[in-house]
């Protein structure tokens, strides 16, 4: 028997497959401009006893191929708790939104906050800033972490911040210092969300931005706690959906 969860995000699509022994396989791919086509390609030739969709595109998935849906909040809570049983707080910074979820010792959602109205402080924000600084996204995080000083970025609006970065480059500021300022701005915004919901150890950091070494370090310093980074932080929601599929 096989059970699957698919997280249709704005930047990536993650598919997790579980068998009856909980052996897991997964695939992560870019969403592209035709997410439904990408989903169908991922699922081509595969059959599941039950498939559950979550994420930004879960309703489209349900209309076309998924047996049911669950919210991202529930999917991340299930996935993070199963991967790391000591988890009490989940931070997910994805392509277009940031989520903070508080769960109790049984894995039930106690509280959450979600920023999904703009790209400020998300993976897309960092992608745009990296491009403005002529970095690859991984390269920017490493470079920022080694910067000797930071340059403050005043705007968190992607459009205004990109313009601000361009002006700083024109003034001769070193790009690694600008990159550190960008990461610190995202860190401040994220820490505010975490503090509003409440930071209880252990904290699991999920989503594509969890791979950013500078964000890992800045958040750890700001919060004063170690962060648990899953082996593949981009599949936590899909894994939770797959577990939900198996639960029936």
């Amino acid at each position: 028997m096989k059970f699957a969860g698919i997280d249709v995000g704005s930047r990536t699509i993650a598919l997790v497959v579980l068998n009856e022994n909980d052996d897991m396989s997964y695939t992560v791919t870019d969403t592209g401009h035709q997410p439904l086509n990408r989903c169908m390609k991922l699922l081509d030739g595969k059959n599941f006893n039950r498939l559950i969709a979550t994420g930004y595109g879960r309703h489209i998935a349900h209309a076309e191929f998924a047996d049911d849906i669950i919210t991202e909040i529930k999917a991340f809570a299930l996935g993070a708790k199963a991967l790391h049983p000591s988890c009490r707080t989940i931070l997910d910074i994805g392509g277009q939104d940031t989520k903070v979820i508080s769960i109790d010792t049984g894995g039930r959602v106690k509280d959450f906050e979600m920023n999904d109205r703009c790209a400020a402080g998300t993976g897309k924000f960092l992608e745009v800033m990296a491009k403005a600084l002529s970095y690859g996204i991984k390269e920017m995080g490493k470079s920022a972490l080694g910067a000797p000083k930071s340059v403050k970025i005043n705007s968190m609006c992607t459009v205004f911040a990109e313009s601000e970065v361009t002006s700083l480059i024109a003034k001769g500021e070193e790009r690694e210092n600008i990159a550190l300022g960008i990461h610190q701005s995202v860190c401040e915004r994220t820490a505010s969300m975490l503090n509003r919901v409440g930071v209880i150890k252990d904290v699991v950091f999920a989503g594509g931005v969890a791979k950013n070494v500078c964000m890992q370090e800045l958040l750890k310093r700001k919060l004063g706690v170690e962060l648990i980074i899953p082996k593949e932080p981009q599949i936590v929601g899909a894994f939770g959906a797959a577990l939900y599929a198996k639960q029936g």
Side-chain angles (χ1 to χ4, degrees):
M1 298 181 76
K2 288 186 176 180
F3 305 90
I6 189 165
D7 183 355
V8 186
S10 59
R11 306 295 294 165
T12 60
I13 298 171
L15 174 69
V16 170
V17 180
L18 296 174
N19 66 16
E20 53 194 359
N21 297 318
D22 283 341
D23 297 323
M24 178 174 67
S25 61
Y26 64 85
T27 307
V28 179
T29 187
D30 289 341
T31 302
H33 67 286
Q34 293 182 312
L36 185 57
N37 287 352
R38 289 292 173 93
C39 288
M40 300 312 289
K41 188 173 288 187
L42 271 179
L43 299 170
D44 186 36
K46 299 180 177 72
N47 293 300
F48 308 108
N49 295 82
R50 195 162 184 247
L51 189 158
I52 300 296
T54 189
Y56 176 79
R58 63 186 181 275
H59 295 290
I60 296 174
H62 190 207
E64 296 294 331
F65 58 82
D67 294 305
D68 204 349
I69 61 173
I70 58 171
T71 67
E72 292 166 84
I73 302 300
K74 187 168 185 176
F76 274 83
L78 282 170
K81 181 67 177 173
L83 288 170
H84 302 283
S86 61
C87 169
R88 295 291 303 279
T89 306
I90 303 151
L91 167 65
D92 167 58
I93 308 181
Q96 294 277 28
D97 65 41
T98 300
K99 293 182 281 295
V100 176
I101 307 165
S102 175
I103 60 175
D104 65 18
T105 53
R108 292 175 289 272
V109 175
K110 292 172 56 185
D111 195 9
F112 71 92
E113 186 167 320
M114 189 168 179
N115 162 38
D116 60 356
R117 294 184 179 178
C118 72
T122 67
K124 180 63 178 178
F125 178 85
L126 290 172
E127 280 184 19
V128 172
M129 297 307 115
K131 188 175 181 181
L133 291 169
S134 299
Y135 280 127
I137 189 67
K138 290 182 181 176
E139 184 189 9
M140 183 171 73
K142 291 179 181 176
S143 181
L145 192 58
K149 67 171 188 176
S150 69
V151 176
K152 184 175 176 59
I153 302 296
N154 294 303
S155 179
M156 284 301 289
C157 167
T158 305
V159 175
F160 292 147
E162 184 179 21
S163 176
E164 193 175 345
V165 166
T166 301
S167 296
L168 289 168
I169 294 169
K171 290 176 182 175
E173 292 287 358
E174 297 295 333
R175 66 175 185 164
E176 60 265 35
N177 298 337
I178 301 171
L180 179 55
I182 290 166
H183 282 76
Q184 287 179 332
S185 296
V186 175
C187 178
E188 290 291 334
R189 183 183 178 91
T190 304
S192 294
M193 286 182 68
L194 280 158
N195 288 325
R196 284 194 294 273
V197 174
V199 179
I200 303 174
K201 296 190 290 184
D202 286 336
V203 180
V204 170
F205 187 10
V209 177
K211 295 180 177 180
N212 183 307
V213 292
C214 189
M215 284 304 302
Q216 292 175 9
E217 184 62 27
L218 292 180
L219 282 167
K220 184 175 76 172
R221 292 179 195 165
K222 182 73 178 176
L223 299 172
V225 298
E226 293 291 332
L227 302 174
I228 297 174
I229 315 293
K231 183 179 178 182
E232 176 44 88
Q234 291 181 282
I235 66 164
V236 175
F239 179 53
L243 290 171
Y244 187 76
K246 191 174 180 184
Q247 290 170 0

